[in-house]
Amino acid sequence: MRTRSSGSADEDDTDEASPAEAARRQSEGDGRKRSFTTAKYDRARHSDTLDRRKVEKSNPSLPVLHNAWKPPASMHGASEKGLQTLDPLAQDTTTIRMPEAQIRRRSRARNPWACSLLTIITTILSLVFLLSIFHSFAKRQLDPKGCEMCMMSPAYAKFSDFDTEHTRFASKYSLYLYREGGIDEDTMVKGVPVLFIPGNAGSYKQVRPLAAEAAQYFHDSIQQDTKALKAGTRSLDFFTVDFNEDITAFHGQTLLDQAEYLNEAVAYILSLYHDPRRSRRDPELPDPSSVILIGHSMGGIVARTMLTMSNYQSNSINTIITMSAPHARPPVSFDAAIVHTYKDINNYWRQAYSQKWANNNPLWHVTLISIAGGGLDTVVPSDYADLSSLVPDTHGFTVFTSTIPNVWTGADHLSILWCDQVRKVIVRSVIEAVDVHRPGQTRPRAERMRIFKRWYLTGMETIAEKNLAQQEPTTLLTLEDNSNSILALGERLTIRAFGHERKAKAHLLPIPPQSALGVKKFTLISDQPLDTPGASGKLEVLFCSVFPLQAGSSATLFSMNMDLSGDSLGSTRLACKNAAADVIRLPASTRTSKNAFDHTQPFSYLQYNLEDLADHQFIAVVDKALELTPGWVVAEFSDNVDSIVQKKIGLRRLLTLGMHLKLPATRPMVTEVKIPALHSSLLAYKLSIGKQACGSEAELFTPLLRQHLSEPHESKYFVNVKEANINLHGVAPFMPPPLRARAASNGVSLQLWSDPTCHTSVDMSLKVDIPGSVGKLFMRYRTVFAAFPLLIVALVLRKQFKVYDESGIFITFAESMDLCLRKSLPLILLAMSFLAMSLSASSSAPSKPTSSGLFGWRGNATESAIDYTKNDLLLGSQDPFFWFLVPLFGLASAGICVVINYTALLVLHALCLLYSHVTARPAWLKNDDRRKSTLPVFAATTPRRRIITTSILLFLVSTFIPYQFAYMVACIVQIATCTRALRFARETRSGAHYDFYNYTHSILILMLWVLPINIPVLVVWVHNLAVHWLTPFSSHHNVLSITPFILLVETLTSGKMIPRVTTSFRYITNMLFFSLALYAAIYGVTYAYLLHHLVNSVCAWLVAIHFSSSSFSLAGLSRMLECEEEEGDVKKRP
């Protein structure tokens, strides 16, 4: 049997030769060129096609086609002749009397709409899984929205003189100064410079909520505070940058351009304060040498990038606050430059903070605060805002808006900018950190960190600092000796109303000795604010020590003298410190409470470990009300044994049985339940708390629940809690390990405040919310659906080429999908599941110390080498429990590929019908015009025109347009080729043409899955054209990145089927597609940009197979370039 270049089995059957004839042909060899394919040049290649009927008439020995397709009567004549005058693909012959079962089987195989029951079931299951993800994401485990709108009166002053003399980006970007109408009327700088950096596609006008609050707060509060002004507090001059809504999330070069421009803008801003014509600052103050940066989204990444640039002015940045910024990893990995830029930036910061000595750390003076919006942010996963892999807690931290006192609500990606509660905290913290008496315009780093911790953290974190030890006694408390207000050791203080005595009264709680059994802590909660020294409220809490009696010393040592001795002769004096500076604000929890962010007076809470009170003997709770007024307070000492419950329960048991806990009736007012197994951000839970009965007396407050993680600092409050949705941002996929190794994760802690005076037990039950957990996959695994489907497509194409090389039939995409679903895909997913478990186990193992190099120059000898990329592979899970996600995403990707395949079929058939209608022969054509109307639909252009077109396109790629644009053009051309091939196959009913259509269709599906990887960079290029920025991208003009795609698409436009490969070279095709499938699964999410280059390599191999069946020489190329199109009606074929 002789094999044609098209590889069709139909052609093989019609050209059989006897063994003797075959041996004679082999011995003669006829001197023709042979390739690694099985295509033989046993017949002359004609430029024009043959008329089948003429061949049959002139060669009566040819077999009669009993089962051949016959056109209807309406298609005889010129129409029939036109369909048969085709390239060699059109010569579809069949054997004599082919078995009917084989005809039906091959007819079904060529039907692109055929779909097996297994494929249908897989697609249905996939769609159900995807719909459940979307439904859960949109409807379940949703955090309440509590952000309030803000008002402002913005005005912007553009710095037109910041031009090309200062920066090469002056024609693209602009610098503005914000002024609040009615407060700042001039454009003179007079305060502390703050630069706002917008994020991806952000506007410079997004600065107005922060800048307006800063102007209003300083005008209404600080300007009249002489003490604050004397301490160095001044107004803030907010600058903002117009990036023309640049798209930085998808393009690394744009991010670097913005960082370069901003460093030049910082130098220009600082120069304004040196110019007396533009500055109204006190000349006695030092000129500013640094600028505070506030960045939103990708603006926060640009801010960190600035410190790594060559044009960065040392110490010009010392404070960075970011909002919803993806610090840990890029939001998408479709651009090589953005991945490499992230890697360089993060490595710079990690290496800086790994230095042993501060002099070797260029970032020693820098503080970085990352504020995340939580679950409401559906643009950037809040897990990516974590700084634990970049910055130690001495220089920065990550906090969620639901944690920040008096905010207590999540925020989406944009509302975090205008959320009134959030902007107030940011502005007040920055203003407090300002000190114009220093050139850096801010307080020292350690003091800045204390200020930021006080403003952004709850005060119950392990890194929170108490002010009690740093304070001096300010109040002298005098009590009568026979006072009965001293409680017994260990007794709980409960006050249900203030002012019973109609005078101030102090309740003394003796502090237990350090030697007491058990680790103790002091807690106090009240619905009233705690008074500062000299305030005239209802409640004041003092930590006191016995003051020795020395005549005349009390008035000079203390600013406050609180005498509660009355007319008693004997008295006790106590030197006391006020506790108001350490008060922790909690959302009020009453029977009418609904959300933590409700407009109600918050609770006041104090919490101290016993060692924090070692210098004191008493805690004085002073009821200062002079008449009976409502209010309550509860204070007590408790043992950690009673207040902390450690539940060691695994995820599997929690998933099947849940967790049930009964808190005893004699519990402390605060009970903390620690569940180490609850640390994954992929699971959500339902918590139920039983109702407590208080008997005859009304409860002081309803149960208040705090769900919190130690790192990152995420707390959520649930008031008047009965049921709560527990979801968290803990251990997340693809996240790098922390900069400093820490102990095993404590998981989620559930802190419950309940009224201890009720003396009733409370039931707690926790169970996994499976429907709610499914929605958590959306934000963490969105980019999986750009990589995993290529695994499926690569396996399908691998099967198609394998069958084609063996049988000569190029099966449809749907049939190949069915074959893969039956064997290869389950095996691959099974292997990937074992690999996922292995990677998760190795990821959870502690890092091993490594050598620091030959001379110890690599790092600190006390540090252990940390692999920050160990969670980049596969699905990035750090817990072997989630191995099942691999087959689930494989199933979903298979269903998506099936849907995309049939969607492409539908579109191509619609285009085919439109194309047939447009090119159909009208009935009114003259007889001498009919010959023109019956030309081959798939006539190829001349080689010279194709070479010139390809050369021009490659030249444009190398000079002006990015290769992503050329790729989109290639996809459009491939759609046109598929449309023409489909029409051709439907009209001829030829097996060879169906093979060619199946081949082009599968290549189109492959190209469509690579298209999303190229679209973002293309969008950036189009955006730059819109803003008249014509500077080409240096990283996207590699012609080798697009040449194989263009050559393959151009080759397919000629209608030439790829030759079969029956030699050992066919394993190369197999291995290329298999390697593509493995890479898409293992590395595709983290390094998605390389998928384009891998598919490009596959296309290069396919082009080599195409060219292997044709002779090539420089002389032949010269003849092709010199040949002209014939004046006739039919174009010559290559």
Side-chain angles (χ1 to χ4, degrees), residues 636-665:
E636 66 180 10
F637 284 93
S638 59
D639 291 337
N640 286 346
V641 177
D642 300 324
S643 60
I644 297 178
V645 179
Q646 193 90 7
K647 293 295 292 184
K648 295 182 179 180
I649 182 173
L651 279 179
R652 291 168 180 82
R653 182 179 177 186
L654 191 63
L655 189 65
T656 54
L657 302 176
M659 184 198 77
H660 302 278
L661 180 65
K662 188 170 186 178
L663 302 181

Short mmCIF file of all heavy atoms in Angstrom, two decimals, residues 636-665:
data_model
loop_
_atom_site.label_atom_id
_atom_site.label_comp_id
_atom_site.label_asym_id
_atom_site.label_seq_id
_atom_site.Cartn_x
_atom_site.Cartn_y
_atom_site.Cartn_z
N GLU A 636 -12.21 40.85 86.39
CA GLU A 636 -11.85 39.61 87.07
C GLU A 636 -10.44 39.18 86.69
O GLU A 636 -9.87 39.63 85.69
CB GLU A 636 -12.83 38.49 86.70
CG GLU A 636 -12.75 38.08 85.24
CD GLU A 636 -13.72 36.97 84.88
OE1 GLU A 636 -14.57 36.64 85.70
OE2 GLU A 636 -13.61 36.44 83.75
N PHE A 637 -9.88 38.33 87.51
CA PHE A 637 -8.66 37.59 87.19
C PHE A 637 -9.07 36.17 86.84
O PHE A 637 -9.94 35.58 87.48
CB PHE A 637 -7.70 37.59 88.38
CG PHE A 637 -6.97 38.89 88.57
CD1 PHE A 637 -7.49 39.86 89.41
CD2 PHE A 637 -5.80 39.14 87.90
CE1 PHE A 637 -6.83 41.05 89.60
CE2 PHE A 637 -5.12 40.34 88.08
CZ PHE A 637 -5.65 41.30 88.92
N SER A 638 -8.44 35.59 85.84
CA SER A 638 -8.79 34.24 85.41
C SER A 638 -7.53 33.47 85.05
O SER A 638 -6.51 34.06 84.68
CB SER A 638 -9.75 34.27 84.22
OG SER A 638 -9.16 34.95 83.13
N ASP A 639 -7.61 32.15 85.17
CA ASP A 639 -6.51 31.28 84.78
C ASP A 639 -6.64 30.91 83.31
O ASP A 639 -7.75 30.71 82.80
CB ASP A 639 -6.53 29.99 85.62
CG ASP A 639 -6.17 30.25 87.07
OD1 ASP A 639 -5.52 31.28 87.32
OD2 ASP A 639 -6.58 29.44 87.93
N ASN A 640 -5.50 30.80 82.66
CA ASN A 640 -5.52 30.37 81.25
C ASN A 640 -6.07 28.97 81.10
O ASN A 640 -6.61 28.62 80.04
CB ASN A 640 -4.11 30.44 80.66
CG ASN A 640 -3.66 31.87 80.40
OD1 ASN A 640 -4.49 32.79 80.41
ND2 ASN A 640 -2.37 32.06 80.17
N VAL A 641 -5.94 28.17 82.13
CA VAL A 641 -6.49 26.81 82.06
C VAL A 641 -7.99 26.85 81.86
O VAL A 641 -8.58 26.01 81.17
CB VAL A 641 -6.12 26.03 83.33
CG1 VAL A 641 -6.75 24.64 83.32
CG2 VAL A 641 -4.61 25.93 83.47
N ASP A 642 -8.65 27.82 82.49
CA ASP A 642 -10.10 27.92 82.38
C ASP A 642 -10.54 28.73 81.16
O ASP A 642 -11.63 28.51 80.63
CB ASP A 642 -10.67 28.59 83.64
CG ASP A 642 -10.34 27.81 84.90
OD1 ASP A 642 -10.32 26.56 84.82
OD2 ASP A 642 -10.10 28.44 85.95
N SER A 643 -9.72 29.68 80.73
CA SER A 643 -10.15 30.60 79.67
C SER A 643 -9.70 30.18 78.28
O SER A 643 -10.19 30.71 77.28
CB SER A 643 -9.62 32.01 79.94
OG SER A 643 -8.20 32.01 80.00
N ILE A 644 -8.77 29.24 78.17
CA ILE A 644 -8.27 28.79 76.86
C ILE A 644 -8.59 27.32 76.69
O ILE A 644 -8.23 26.49 77.52
CB ILE A 644 -6.76 29.04 76.73
CG1 ILE A 644 -6.47 30.55 76.80
CG2 ILE A 644 -6.24 28.48 75.41
CD1 ILE A 644 -4.99 30.88 76.72
N VAL A 645 -9.28 27.00 75.60
CA VAL A 645 -9.64 25.63 75.26
C VAL A 645 -8.94 25.26 73.96
O VAL A 645 -9.12 25.91 72.94
CB VAL A 645 -11.17 25.47 75.11
CG1 VAL A 645 -11.50 24.03 74.74
CG2 VAL A 645 -11.88 25.91 76.37
N GLN A 646 -8.09 24.23 74.03
CA GLN A 646 -7.36 23.77 72.85
C GLN A 646 -8.07 22.54 72.30
O GLN A 646 -8.18 21.52 72.96
CB GLN A 646 -5.93 23.42 73.23
CG GLN A 646 -5.00 23.22 72.04
CD GLN A 646 -4.32 24.49 71.60
OE1 GLN A 646 -4.44 25.51 72.26
NE2 GLN A 646 -3.63 24.45 70.48
N LYS A 647 -8.57 22.65 71.06
CA LYS A 647 -9.28 21.54 70.43
C LYS A 647 -8.40 20.94 69.34
O LYS A 647 -8.16 21.54 68.30
CB LYS A 647 -10.59 22.02 69.82
CG LYS A 647 -11.62 22.47 70.84
CD LYS A 647 -12.09 21.33 71.72
CE LYS A 647 -12.89 20.31 70.95
NZ LYS A 647 -13.43 19.25 71.83
N LYS A 648 -7.89 19.75 69.63
CA LYS A 648 -7.05 19.06 68.66
C LYS A 648 -7.93 18.11 67.86
O LYS A 648 -8.18 16.98 68.24
CB LYS A 648 -5.93 18.30 69.36
CG LYS A 648 -4.94 19.22 70.08
CD LYS A 648 -3.81 18.43 70.73
CE LYS A 648 -2.82 19.38 71.41
NZ LYS A 648 -1.71 18.64 72.05
N ILE A 649 -8.39 18.63 66.76
CA ILE A 649 -9.29 17.86 65.90
C ILE A 649 -8.82 18.04 64.45
O ILE A 649 -8.45 19.14 64.04
CB ILE A 649 -10.75 18.32 66.07
CG1 ILE A 649 -11.69 17.49 65.20
CG2 ILE A 649 -10.90 19.80 65.79
CD1 ILE A 649 -13.16 17.78 65.45
N GLY A 650 -8.78 16.95 63.71
CA GLY A 650 -8.31 16.99 62.34
C GLY A 650 -9.40 17.44 61.37
O GLY A 650 -10.60 17.43 61.69
N LEU A 651 -8.96 17.81 60.18
CA LEU A 651 -9.92 18.27 59.17
C LEU A 651 -10.88 17.16 58.76
O LEU A 651 -12.06 17.41 58.52
CB LEU A 651 -9.18 18.80 57.94
CG LEU A 651 -8.64 20.23 58.02
CD1 LEU A 651 -7.92 20.60 56.73
CD2 LEU A 651 -9.78 21.20 58.27
N ARG A 652 -10.38 15.94 58.68
CA ARG A 652 -11.25 14.85 58.23
C ARG A 652 -12.37 14.58 59.25
O ARG A 652 -13.53 14.37 58.88
CB ARG A 652 -10.41 13.58 58.01
CG ARG A 652 -9.47 13.70 56.81
CD ARG A 652 -8.45 12.56 56.78
NE ARG A 652 -7.56 12.70 55.64
CZ ARG A 652 -6.50 13.50 55.61
NH1 ARG A 652 -6.22 14.25 56.68
NH2 ARG A 652 -5.74 13.56 54.54
N ARG A 653 -12.00 14.61 60.53
CA ARG A 653 -13.03 14.41 61.54
C ARG A 653 -13.98 15.61 61.59
O ARG A 653 -15.19 15.45 61.78
CB ARG A 653 -12.37 14.19 62.91
CG ARG A 653 -13.37 13.93 64.02
CD ARG A 653 -12.68 13.69 65.33
NE ARG A 653 -13.64 13.52 66.42
CZ ARG A 653 -13.31 13.41 67.69
NH1 ARG A 653 -12.02 13.41 68.04
NH2 ARG A 653 -14.23 13.26 68.61
N LEU A 654 -13.40 16.80 61.43
CA LEU A 654 -14.25 17.99 61.41
C LEU A 654 -15.20 17.96 60.23
O LEU A 654 -16.35 18.40 60.32
CB LEU A 654 -13.36 19.23 61.36
CG LEU A 654 -14.04 20.58 61.60
CD1 LEU A 654 -14.61 20.64 63.00
CD2 LEU A 654 -13.04 21.71 61.38
N LEU A 655 -14.72 17.42 59.12
CA LEU A 655 -15.56 17.36 57.92
C LEU A 655 -16.70 16.37 58.09
O LEU A 655 -17.81 16.59 57.59
CB LEU A 655 -14.69 16.97 56.72
CG LEU A 655 -15.32 17.06 55.34
CD1 LEU A 655 -15.66 18.50 54.99
CD2 LEU A 655 -14.38 16.48 54.30
N THR A 656 -16.46 15.30 58.79
CA THR A 656 -17.47 14.25 58.91
C THR A 656 -18.38 14.45 60.12
O THR A 656 -19.60 14.32 60.03
CB THR A 656 -16.81 12.88 58.98
OG1 THR A 656 -15.84 12.89 60.05
CG2 THR A 656 -16.11 12.56 57.67
N LEU A 657 -17.77 14.76 61.27
CA LEU A 657 -18.55 14.82 62.51
C LEU A 657 -18.76 16.23 63.03
O LEU A 657 -19.66 16.46 63.84
CB LEU A 657 -17.86 13.98 63.60
CG LEU A 657 -17.63 12.50 63.27
CD1 LEU A 657 -16.87 11.83 64.39
CD2 LEU A 657 -18.95 11.80 63.01
N GLY A 658 -17.94 17.17 62.60
CA GLY A 658 -18.02 18.51 63.15
C GLY A 658 -17.39 18.60 64.52
O GLY A 658 -16.79 17.63 65.03
N MET A 659 -17.50 19.74 65.16
CA MET A 659 -16.95 19.93 66.50
C MET A 659 -18.05 20.44 67.43
O MET A 659 -18.79 21.36 67.06
CB MET A 659 -15.80 20.94 66.46
CG MET A 659 -15.10 21.14 67.80
SD MET A 659 -14.12 22.65 67.88
CE MET A 659 -15.41 23.88 68.09
N HIS A 660 -18.15 19.86 68.58
CA HIS A 660 -19.15 20.26 69.56
C HIS A 660 -18.45 20.53 70.89
O HIS A 660 -17.61 19.75 71.33
CB HIS A 660 -20.22 19.18 69.72
CG HIS A 660 -20.93 18.84 68.45
ND1 HIS A 660 -21.97 19.58 67.95
CD2 HIS A 660 -20.71 17.84 67.56
CE1 HIS A 660 -22.38 19.06 66.81
NE2 HIS A 660 -21.64 17.99 66.55
N LEU A 661 -18.82 21.62 71.52
CA LEU A 661 -18.16 22.04 72.74
C LEU A 661 -19.19 22.66 73.67
O LEU A 661 -20.05 23.42 73.23
CB LEU A 661 -17.05 23.05 72.43
CG LEU A 661 -16.25 23.61 73.59
CD1 LEU A 661 -15.43 22.50 74.25
CD2 LEU A 661 -15.32 24.73 73.11
N LYS A 662 -19.10 22.34 74.95
CA LYS A 662 -20.00 22.90 75.95
C LYS A 662 -19.18 23.67 76.98
O LYS A 662 -18.36 23.10 77.70
CB LYS A 662 -20.81 21.81 76.65
CG LYS A 662 -21.90 22.34 77.56
CD LYS A 662 -22.81 21.23 78.05
CE LYS A 662 -23.98 21.80 78.85
NZ LYS A 662 -24.90 20.73 79.28
N LEU A 663 -19.38 24.99 77.02
CA LEU A 663 -18.66 25.83 77.97
C LEU A 663 -19.38 25.77 79.31
O LEU A 663 -20.60 25.92 79.37
CB LEU A 663 -18.60 27.27 77.45
CG LEU A 663 -17.94 27.46 76.08
CD1 LEU A 663 -17.94 28.94 75.71
CD2 LEU A 663 -16.53 26.90 76.07
N PRO A 664 -18.64 25.57 80.39
CA PRO A 664 -19.30 25.38 81.69
C PRO A 664 -19.92 26.68 82.19
O PRO A 664 -19.60 27.78 81.73
CB PRO A 664 -18.15 24.94 82.60
CG PRO A 664 -16.91 25.48 81.95
CD PRO A 664 -17.18 25.44 80.47
N ALA A 665 -20.80 26.58 83.16
CA ALA A 665 -21.51 27.74 83.69
C ALA A 665 -20.58 28.64 84.50
O ALA A 665 -20.83 29.84 84.62
CB ALA A 665 -22.68 27.28 84.56
#
